[in-house]
Amino acid sequence: MARDVSDSTPIGSKDELVSWIAAGEKPPSAFRLGTEHEKFAFYSDDLAPVPYEGRAASGGRPAAGGIRHLLEGMQAKLGWEPIMDAGHIIGLAGVDGGGAISLEPGGQFELSGAPVETLHETAAELGGHLRDVKAVAQEHGIGFVSLGHSPLWTRAQTPVMPKGRYKIMANYMPKVGSRGLDMMFRTCTVQVNLDFASEADMVRKLRVSLALQPFATALFASSPFTEGRLNGFQSMRSEIWRDTDAARSGMLAFAFDDGMSYEAYVDWALDVPMYFVKRGDTYHDVAGGSFRDLLAGKLAQLPGEKATISDWANHLSTLFPEVRLKRFLEMRGADAGPPEMLNALPAFWVGLLYDPASLDAAWEIVKGWSAEERQALRDAVPREGLAATIARRQLREIAREVLAQSRAGLARRARRNGEGADETGFLDPLEALVAADRTVAQDLAARFETEWGGEIAPLFTEFKL
């Protein structure tokens, strides 16, 4: 999230929280998609991670700019508005209110794409962003690699970005799970944000996307390395989420209960402990506090302080289920990857969720799965990938059906570019993986053990963005 919401309008009841989410409803003609993707920055000469302020000359190694210099260079190139935190530039916002650039806790460089109508537009946005950021980064000897988990650096070697909310999160995470700091500092994802037309449409899309999120995890698995070695997983990023903070993550089993609604999600969100309350430029650490208490003006850490729209929007942004509901739905199950995979992720979900026939067909595939089966699949996928099973069927088999439905949905959308091509081509990398019965992670692991001779350095050359 590039920028915290700023809206001091008071909230006095749960109904207002529900209404805030419901205000995201749009007619299908107004549906948009927004793609977000993260990448790790490294110095090309020695593969070291890039700190915020850069590095000084030392031992024959030249001085080099850091993450701050990347942001300042992108600001000069794009003319975007800087986002500041306690005097530090920590992001950029497009002047037209569209896209944004932000930093994850360990310096992961993120593009939060503008809401656009077609996959062609989001692919063009990615291409333009990579050209711009690489041009700026080359001046400082910086390169980028896009994988689900930091492939080389220890957590101690990973830099820390100067963002107030991240300090609060970093202090709280070890209290609620063993892997929260790894999640913050050593993972990268790609996700797409999609619209809904009504409460019933939201529920349908939420259920289908939750059930199929492990498919995205398997299809996009790209994190087999930790600290320069194989870690035994295809998606270490996904495995880390299994022990980060159970109160705010997971498969949302209640979404499949009768009567699922905006209010049901609000009730869940109200009981997820808070991280912070922001007033002005100050982040007040209220970690573990209750939003219900804030709503009632009884939050122990800030006596008498009442909830605002900003508080609610910011709290929702600190919830991390596999699919997150705000005024749109966020697909959160995929590792980051090379550019063709970054474009394939929104294509996969748009084809399934924005075409009524494909959405219905996907529901037919998943509707008989129990909560226990969905959870068992989610638990197995980080290690097993497409070999994981549900309802006595392997994912690789079901994936062919799901991808066929996604392709059919994109074909029916018939959104064409200037050369007359529709959006179905963005699924080609996924179909090739399924046909070969191999994930990106498995290919990387095989190359590491054979042609790379057990060395991680070639990854930074061959997978450099």
Side-chain angles (χ1 to χ4, degrees):
M1 186 175 181
R3 170 180 278 167
D4 293 316
V5 173
S6 296
D7 187 338
S8 59
T9 304
I11 296 177
S13 70
K14 186 176 76 171
D15 288 346
E16 293 175 68
L17 307 181
V18 173
S19 296
W20 187 88
I21 294 176
E25 294 177 357
K26 296 180 177 67
S29 61
F31 283 179
R32 297 292 184 266
L33 61 126
T35 308
E36 303 181 19
H37 35 77
E38 302 159 359
K39 49 199 169 291
F40 297 106
F42 64 93
Y43 288 119
S44 299
D45 60 356
D46 63 0
L47 309 184
V50 179
Y52 182 77
E53 291 290 356
R55 68 182 184 191
S58 173
R61 188 181 63 180
I67 297 295
R68 174 174 65 84
H69 302 90
L70 291 180
L71 288 172
E72 291 172 346
M74 290 294 283
Q75 180 190 2
K77 192 173 189 67
L78 301 175
W80 285 11
E81 176 187 351
I83 302 171
M84 308 299 292
D85 188 333
H88 301 285
I89 183 171
I90 49 91
L92 300 171
V95 293
D96 58 358
I101 292 171
S102 60
L103 303 178
E104 291 299 302
Q108 303 97 314
F109 211 77
E110 178 179 4
L111 174 68
S112 297
V116 297
E117 292 188 45
T118 73
L119 293 163
H120 306 297
E121 292 170 276
T122 204
E125 178 186 57
L126 170 62
H129 169 74
L130 291 180
R131 286 191 297 272
D132 289 338
V133 76
K134 285 192 288 186
V136 173
Q138 285 170 359
E139 300 174 11
H140 305 286
I142 293 172
F144 296 96
V145 65
S146 182
L147 296 169
H149 186 268
S150 171
L152 180 57
W153 314 303
T154 66
R155 204 163 68 206
Q157 292 171 324
T158 303
V160 178
M161 297 299 105
K163 291 183 71 169
R165 64 188 284 161
Y166 293 159
K167 294 178 184 178
I168 295 170
M169 290 173 64
N171 287 334
Y172 181 72
M173 284 291 185
K175 301 174 183 177
V176 292
S178 68
R179 305 303 300 272
L181 296 180
D182 287 320
M183 179 278 291
M184 292 179 63
F185 292 99
R186 297 206 288 180
T187 65
C188 279
T189 186
V190 54
Q191 67 183 58
V192 65
N193 305 322
L194 299 174
D195 292 316
F196 47 83
S198 64
E199 186 170 58
D201 187 45
M202 180 280 292
V203 171
R204 187 83 150 178
K205 288 173 176 172
L206 178 63
R207 288 172 172 171
V208 166
S209 57
L210 279 168
L212 292 179
Q213 212 61 218
F215 284 74
T217 300
L219 287 168
F220 290 84
S222 70
S223 44
F225 303 117
T226 301
E227 298 175 17
R229 301 182 296 275
L230 292 174
N231 54 36
F233 291 88
Q234 296 187 45
S235 177
M236 175 54 76
R237 182 204 60 83
S238 183
E239 176 66 13
I240 284 169
W241 273 110
R242 295 206 312 123
D243 191 13
T244 290
D245 184 347
R248 69 184 68 243
S249 60
M251 292 289 284
L252 300 184
F254 71 87
F256 295 82
D257 293 345
D258 291 342
M260 174 58 189
S261 62
Y262 296 137
E263 184 177 7
Y265 191 88
V266 168
D267 282 333
W268 173 73
L270 282 171
D271 290 327
V272 176
M274 299 176 69
Y275 284 150
F276 64 86
V277 171
K278 189 178 183 184
R279 290 293 179 266
D281 293 330
T282 300
Y283 288 88
H284 296 276
D285 186 344
V286 301
S290 164
F291 202 97
R292 290 186 190 273
D293 288 346
L294 180 63
L295 192 64
K298 298 177 181 179
L299 186 63
Q301 296 95 325
L302 291 174
E305 196 68 40
K306 297 294 290 287
T308 68
I309 291 291
S310 292
D311 297 330
W312 181 235
N314 292 333
H315 179 57
L316 291 181
S317 77
T318 69
L319 313 183
F320 307 125
E322 294 291 294
V323 180
R324 179 162 64 188
L325 173 63
K326 294 195 284 191
R327 284 178 159 174
F328 44 83
L329 290 166
E330 302 179 1
M331 308 294 114
R332 298 177 46 82
D335 286 5
E340 66 272 14
M341 298 297 284
L342 299 180
N343 287 325
L345 186 279
F348 175 73
W349 290 114
V350 167
L352 284 177
L353 302 186
Y354 273 4
D355 178 76
S358 289
L359 181 59
D360 287 345
W363 176 242
E364 288 299 314
I365 293 171
V366 308
K367 69 179 183 181
W369 299 345
S370 68
E372 293 75 20
E373 287 174 320
R374 292 190 300 270
Q375 186 61 52
L377 177 64
R378 190 264 174 269
D379 291 341
V381 155
R383 188 182 294 274
E384 298 178 19
L386 292 170
T389 62
I390 186 168
R392 297 184 296 279
R393 298 179 70 196
Q394 286 192 325
L395 284 200
R396 58 172 57 93
E397 176 187 350
I398 305 172
R400 296 186 182 94
E401 299 174 20
V402 173
L403 282 171
Q405 291 301 331
S406 181
R407 177 172 284 272
L410 294 178
R412 284 188 288 266
R413 267 171 58 88
R415 303 297 179 89
R416 301 186 181 277
N417 62 15
E419 288 73 48
D422 67 13
E423 298 170 313
T424 57
F426 292 110
L427 293 177
D428 290 349
L430 301 183
E431 292 173 340
L433 288 174
V434 172
D437 195 20
R438 294 183 68 77
T439 63
V440 170
Q442 289 174 307
D443 284 337
L444 289 172
R447 298 183 71 185
F448 177 81
E449 292 183 311
T450 55
E451 61 190 273
W452 296 352
E455 297 291 334
I456 198 69
L459 171 75
F460 290 86
T461 300
E462 298 190 31
F463 262 65
K464 187 176 181 179
L465 289 175

